[in-house]
Amino acid sequence: MIKKLLLGFFTLVFVSGFAQNAKISGFVTDSDGLPVELATVKVDGTANGTFTDEKGKYSLTVAAGDSCVLVYSCLGYNKTQRIVPEVTGDMTINVRMRTTIYTIGEVTITGTRVQPGNTMEHISTEQNRLAVDATGGSIESIVIATGTGVSSTNELSTQYSVRGGNYNENIVYVNGIEVYRPVLIRSGQQEGLSFINPDLTDRVSFSSGGFDARYGDKMSSVLDVTYKKPKNLEGGVTGSMLGGNVYIGNTSGKFTQISGFRYKSGTTLLKTLDTKGDYNPSAIDLQTFMTYKFTPEFTLNFMGYYSDNIYDFNPTERETSYGTMNDVKHFFVDYDGSIERDRFQTLFGAAILKYNITANADIALQVSAFQSTEQEKYDIDGEYWISNVSGEDREITGIGKFHEHARNYLKSNVANIALTGNIGLNQHTVRWSATYQQEAVNDRIREWELRDSMGYSLPYKEDELRLYRNLSSQNDIVSGRISGYLQDTYRMRIESGIFSITAGVRGAYWDFNKELIISPRASVRFLPSRNQNFTFRFATGLYYQAPFYKEFRMIEDNPNGNQYVDLNRDIESQRSVHLVLGGDYNFNFDNRPFKFTTEIYYKKLDKLVPYTVNNVKIQYYGENVSDGHTQGIDLKLAGQFVPGTDSWLSFSLMEAKQNIDGKKVPMPTDQLYNFTFYLNDYLLGYERVQGSIKLIWADGIPFSVPGREYQNGIRTPNYRRADIGLTYLIFGENDPLKQAYFWRNFKKIWIGADIFNLFDIKNISSYSWFSDINNFRHAVPDKLTGRQINVKFIAEF
């Protein structure tokens, strides 16, 4: 008997050893082509199954030669089956799942796309081309309007603040590569174009905090953008009074490419500022993203970028009214022969060679180089008058002259090489990376300002000519950083619901200050089975703000009283501990899908480098001398307020404080509240005519009096703005004109008009300080743009 059992056992082992298995893999997406994460893929009637990862990818092993039925299921979606008559070898099966449809009585309700995801939220950009946007169309403007906890109080800038952090605390990735912005830019009108080209964009993800270890060392947020890989010929042309874009993409066998050219002027918008003159801003950029597939396993990606941003300005006069209704002040400047010419040039190139080892594992080598050449040159000469206003009468209380001079040059080079990898192991997805980066900065600053009031230079000193302010710098640095991370995402489905747990650690070493930082991070997402409309999440971690030149520039005084820039080699990375608790509730109202999002957060901050903000220029103190905290709550309701269109409403409450010299003061980005409302609508139910309105009402931001920097004891008025837009579809895909020879190459053509700043409320970006005859300093507001009409044309082919 024992011999028979042993014989049977070894026979079974022998036969099993020669049995052949095959691998079935593929992607699961929803009706919009977006990946469905944590869908169950199972061989019917067996325990053989797996989950899809965050890309919707799955892979499982089955016996070759047999037939099988694959069952795809996920909460919020209809169950789907695929029959495989015979498994003859490795196979690829891609599946598209449709959302669940419920019928209650005579009412039909379509389920909302429900996924645990991670701390990154997907931002739809489908309607971006038609959106009203004073920046001329940018991904950042969508993030500002839709992102959780995002704030911006300058319509000329694409920079934004997230939960009390400044602009430099946001990290931006394009196709997995970190991108940078110029250092010397000090005002929104200088910015020109942001790096990201909306026409080339495929997916946009954003996190307001608690993000994974795979993202770099910044303290506030992550914007992760992926460019398109066209499947067919596509293109578009956009033109407006602010500028124009053109792009084209195509595929040819193993090769795909998408390229775009953009031009921005914005002259008409700048002419609504208080300072009048000859504005000649001009910004262009050219981008391309190419992919070549050598084999199914080997792929080469290349991204190239060139931009040239010129800001020419010859001011003639400025006239600003300020004060209160009972104490009206008037400020007038007559400029004499003044000129400003700034130029910001950027070159960027990146190549990624990726090898798919198996269906669940890949490795990639990426190399990138970034170069920014910046110059800021101006001589602004003016004479000013300060007056008290009473009815039609004006009493001059101050008169003076000033001359501002600058010859500033900065060149920065960043070279990066990284090895990254992913591997899927059952219910685990492991990511890792090792990176070396070299940074070189050449900084030359020579700027000064002379003030003359009633014939005396300010500050006044007998027998000595003193400048109001001056600054010089001559610094060259070359440094290297080594960084890496290891991260695992574990997914499991139990009776109570679906859990997704991500944990990882990130480390970096910088040879400039010999600092090693370790950043552990973790997050949990839960989708309950009892009610699939809810999603809950919690994230925490230790986040660092690794310095990049601006943070460690200290302004020192020499024996002659002149100021110069010295570099602090003892600078440390600023640090923040994130605690984020949030959830989503998906529901249907009047047969339309909605999602309500709530997040509560607390950030403990230490080793802070205090800073001031003037317009968009951030001036750091250069030393780690403060600590603080940020706490608040973010609420957002998104959905189809009008059937067939996406709209959203968000409201945030926040406190951002820091301790300086034992005194608790507001941070420069402290805003008690921020309200944003964006509505899309088809006018009178006619789908060819689409209107949009964007409303922003936010608390003013703190600022300091000269000589008492970083105290932030005064606030600007509330930021209030309303923009409206209207577009008309003059040609669509199903129009009879489609048969005509000229029109057959076009998909859609729109014309439209926008009104920026509908109520003509001139908000304040910063303050300039001038003295009257009594040496009383006046905070003269630097106001932003007024009402302006924009006309636009959009075509897709």
Side-chain angles (χ1 to χ4, degrees):
M1 181 66 181
I2 296 176
K3 291 182 178 180
K4 291 183 179 180
L5 289 174
L6 290 174
L7 179 61
F9 173 77
F10 285 113
T11 302
L12 180 61
V13 171
F14 180 79
V15 173
S16 299
F18 284 92
Q20 293 184 350
N21 292 327
K23 186 171 292 184
I24 299 179
S25 59
F27 291 89
V28 179
T29 58
D30 64 8
S31 56
D32 296 322
L34 297 172
V36 176
E37 184 186 3
L38 290 177
T40 300
V41 184
K42 187 178 181 181
V43 178
D44 193 27
T46 73
N48 184 13
T50 186
F51 294 108
T52 56
D53 62 15
E54 71 275 8
K55 297 179 181 179
K57 188 176 181 180
Y58 74 94
S59 177
L60 54 83
T61 302
V62 298
D66 292 342
S67 63
C68 68
V69 177
L70 299 179
V71 180
Y72 302 80
S73 61
C74 185
L75 292 175
Y77 296 88
N78 290 328
K79 185 178 291 187
T80 303
Q81 292 186 350
R82 290 292 184 270
I83 300 174
V84 183
E86 183 180 0
V87 180
T88 57
D90 292 349
M91 305 176 65
T92 300
I93 301 178
N94 298 325
V95 172
R96 178 164 291 188
M97 301 184 72
R98 298 188 179 277
T99 52
T100 306
I101 297 178
Y102 306 94
T103 301
I104 305 175
E106 297 180 354
V107 179
T108 300
I109 300 174
T110 302
T112 306
R113 182 175 184 262
V114 179
Q115 296 216 83
N118 49 24
T119 56
M120 304 292 288
E121 62 174 313
H122 172 74
I123 295 179
S124 174
T125 60
E126 294 178 3
Q127 298 181 356
N128 180 54
R129 295 175 70 83
L130 306 182
V132 54
D133 181 11
T135 67
S138 66
I139 293 298
E140 290 86 349
S141 67
I142 300 178
V143 173
I144 292 168
T146 67
T148 305
V150 183
S151 174
S152 174
T153 54
N154 190 332
E155 64 271 9
L156 293 174
S157 173
T158 58
Q159 303 304 313
Y160 50 87
S161 170
V162 180
R163 293 178 176 171
N166 67 43
Y167 315 136
N168 293 331
E169 295 174 16
N170 306 315
I171 193 167
V172 179
Y173 289 90
V174 177
N175 296 327
I177 308 291
E178 182 181 355
V179 298
Y180 300 85
R181 63 186 293 263
V183 174
L184 292 180
I185 283 180
R186 54 188 169 83
S187 65
Q189 47 265 47
Q190 292 177 302
E191 275 194 11
L193 294 159
S194 70
F195 187 99
I196 305 168
N197 188 330
D199 292 334
L200 312 188
T201 300
D202 182 29
R203 296 191 308 275
V204 177
S205 298
F206 179 76
S207 173
S208 300
F211 41 89
D212 296 343
R214 64 189 174 113
Y215 295 111
D217 294 307
K218 296 285 186 178
M219 290 201 302
S220 288
S221 74
V222 169
L223 177 60
D224 192 356
V225 176
T226 303
Y227 279 177
K228 300 176 184 176
K229 295 180 181 179
K231 297 179 180 179
N232 300 292
L233 177 66
E234 64 172 272
V237 178
T238 303
S240 75
M241 297 170 65
L242 300 177
N245 313 340
V246 59
Y247 85 97
I248 187 168
N250 71 297
T251 180
S252 175
K254 298 180 178 181
F255 176 76
T256 67
Q257 73 82 30
I258 187 165
S259 303
F261 172 81
R262 295 185 293 171
Y263 168 76
K264 181 180 178 181
S265 172
T267 300
T268 56
L269 194 60
L270 296 180
K271 287 183 177 179
T272 66
L273 296 170
D274 282 356
T275 301
K276 306 302 179 184
D278 186 13
Y279 288 93
N280 289 296
S282 173
I284 63 170
D285 83 353
L286 177 65
Q287 295 190 48
T288 186
F289 179 54
M290 303 177 183
T291 300
Y292 187 81
K293 204 163 190 175
F294 296 99
T295 67
E297 292 79 23
F298 273 105
T299 303
L300 177 65
N301 297 331
F302 172 78
M303 182 171 63
Y305 173 87
Y306 169 76
S307 73
D308 191 3
N309 175 22
I310 298 174
Y311 178 70
D312 279 344
F313 177 42
N314 300 308
T316 56
E317 65 177 34
R318 170 181 174 176
E319 193 168 1
T320 302
S321 295
Y322 63 102
T324 65
M325 292 183 62
N326 298 322
D327 185 20
V328 179
K329 307 290 185 181
H330 182 265
F331 180 73
F332 180 81
V333 180
D334 181 26
Y335 295 98
D336 182 19
S338 300
I339 185 171
E340 177 173 359
R341 181 179 176 83
D342 308 322
R343 188 171 189 178
F344 307 92
Q345 292 178 292
T346 303
L347 284 168
F348 176 81
I352 303 175
L353 181 64
K354 184 177 180 181
Y355 174 61
N356 294 318
I357 303 171
T358 67
N360 295 317
D362 61 68
I363 190 170
L365 175 67
Q366 64 182 38
V367 180
S368 66
F370 168 89
Q371 181 183 89
S372 177
T373 304
E374 309 172 37
Q375 65 177 28
E376 188 179 42
K377 299 189 297 182
Y378 57 80
D379 280 284
I380 308 296
D381 188 33
E383 186 173 358
Y384 68 87
W385 291 265
I386 301 174
S387 306
N388 289 329
V389 179
S390 178
E392 298 295 326
D393 299 326
R394 294 183 181 178
E395 177 189 4
I396 296 177
T397 60
I399 185 170
K401 292 183 178 181
F402 64 89
H403 186 98
E404 298 175 358
H405 169 91
R407 296 293 185 270
N408 299 332
Y409 304 90
L410 187 141
K411 187 172 184 178
S412 54
N413 292 277
V414 179
N416 179 296
I417 183 169
L419 191 65
T420 65
N422 299 278
I423 183 169
L425 301 170
N426 298 321
Q427 295 167 278
H428 294 265
T429 299
V430 178
R431 297 171 178 266
W432 60 270
S433 175
T435 304
Y436 176 74
Q437 179 169 296
Q438 187 177 77
E439 303 159 2
V441 178
N442 308 107
D443 183 23
R444 301 291 183 271
I445 292 178
R446 191 173 76 248
E447 64 182 41
W448 51 262
E449 180 179 358
L450 177 66
R451 292 277 183 96
D452 184 316
S453 179
M454 303 299 291
Y456 295 94
S457 64
L458 299 175
Y460 174 72
K461 188 174 183 179
E462 189 175 355
D463 300 327
E464 185 177 339
L465 178 64
R466 300 291 298 271
L467 293 173
Y468 183 75
R469 64 175 182 86
N470 67 91
L471 183 66
S472 65
S473 174
Q474 187 169 343
N475 290 297
D476 300 293
I477 66 167
V478 177
S479 62
R481 299 180 196 261
I482 300 173
S483 62
Y485 73 85
L486 179 64
Q487 174 182 300
D488 180 31
T489 298
Y490 173 68
R491 302 169 183 84
M492 64 178 179
R493 184 190 296 269
I494 59 178
E495 185 177 349
S496 59
I498 300 174
F499 279 95
S500 179
I501 304 170
T502 299
V505 62
R506 182 177 190 88
Y509 175 78
W510 189 27
D511 63 14
F512 179 81
N513 61 352
K514 315 301 182 185
E515 181 186 33
L516 174 66
I517 56 177
I518 304 295
S519 175
R521 308 174 189 178
S523 61
V524 179
R525 284 83 65 190
F526 175 62
L527 178 64
S529 301
R530 183 168 297 180
N531 191 334
Q532 62 188 33
N533 293 319
F534 283 98
T535 302
F536 303 98
R537 58 184 169 273
F538 173 75
T540 186
L542 181 61
Y543 296 82
Y544 288 90
Q545 177 79 17
F548 184 79
Y549 192 64
K550 291 178 69 174
E551 288 93 329
F552 56 91
R553 296 194 306 177
M554 298 187 301
I555 297 179
E556 304 283 4
D557 293 318
N558 66 16
N560 297 322
N562 297 315
Q563 294 185 319
Y564 66 97
V565 174
D566 193 18
L567 303 183
N568 179 13
R569 291 188 174 273
D570 295 323
I571 193 74
E572 294 183 70
S573 297
Q574 301 177 83
R575 189 166 60 182
S576 173
V577 176
H578 289 198
L579 296 171
V580 182
L581 178 65
D584 301 322
Y585 174 56
N586 296 275
F587 63 97
N588 285 273
F589 177 77
D590 196 20
N591 200 26
R592 286 170 286 163
F594 290 88
K595 182 169 76 170
F596 181 67
T597 298
T598 303
E599 286 197 349
I600 302 172
Y601 62 90
Y602 178 83
K603 296 195 289 187
K604 182 182 182 301
L605 312 170
D606 65 351
K607 298 185 179 181
L608 295 181
V609 180
Y611 61 90
T612 60
V613 179
N614 187 350
N615 202 304
V616 298
K617 181 180 180 179
I618 298 176
Q619 181 70 55
Y620 286 93
Y621 181 72
E623 296 181 85
N624 307 92
V625 295
S626 69
D627 57 72
H629 73 272
T630 301
Q631 60 187 357
I633 181 172
D634 297 319
L635 309 171
K636 184 171 71 172
L637 177 64
Q640 296 186 8
F641 289 49
V642 176
T645 65
D646 292 327
S647 303
W648 49 86
L649 182 155
S650 63
F651 180 71
S652 298
L653 293 172
M654 183 189 69
E655 178 189 65
K657 304 290 185 181
Q658 62 180 339
N659 298 305
I660 300 179
D661 295 329
K663 184 179 180 180
K664 182 177 289 188
V665 297
M667 298 183 71
T669 51
D670 179 52
Q671 282 185 301
L672 175 61
Y673 60 87
N674 189 345
F675 171 81
T676 303
F677 179 55
Y678 193 97
L679 176 69
N680 284 306
D681 192 6
Y682 294 119
L683 297 190
L684 303 175
Y686 188 44
E687 293 190 3
R688 284 184 177 270
V689 183
Q690 183 171 328
S692 60
I693 181 168
K694 179 166 64 174
L695 304 174
I696 299 177
W697 191 312
D699 190 19
I701 57 175
F703 66 96
S704 299
V705 177
R708 288 184 290 173
E709 284 81 4
Y710 316 113
Q711 298 304 308
N712 301 322
I714 314 173
R715 286 186 182 269
T716 63
N718 297 336
Y719 184 88
R720 297 166 295 163
R721 185 176 175 89
D723 298 332
I724 63 172
L726 190 70
T727 56
Y728 175 70
L729 180 64
I730 61 176
F731 174 79
E733 293 187 78
N734 299 320
D735 283 14
L737 283 174
K738 186 74 173 176
Q739 306 303 319
Y741 177 78
F742 176 77
W743 299 102
R744 68 179 59 174
N745 295 318
F746 290 92
K747 292 180 180 178
K748 296 178 181 179
I749 298 177
W750 295 269
I751 57 173
D754 302 319
I755 301 178
F756 301 136
N757 199 354
L758 176 64
F759 301 112
D760 200 27
I761 300 173
K762 289 196 171 184
N763 294 290
I764 296 173
S765 64
S766 58
Y767 287 87
S768 299
W769 295 86
F770 292 88
S771 299
D772 60 19
I773 57 177
N774 298 314
N775 204 28
F776 178 80
R777 288 183 295 186
H778 291 251
V780 181
D782 299 321
K783 297 183 179 180
L784 291 166
T785 59
R787 185 188 296 119
Q788 178 64 33
I789 296 177
N790 179 51
V791 179
K792 58 189 177 184
F793 167 84
I794 306 163
E796 293 180 351
F797 58 84

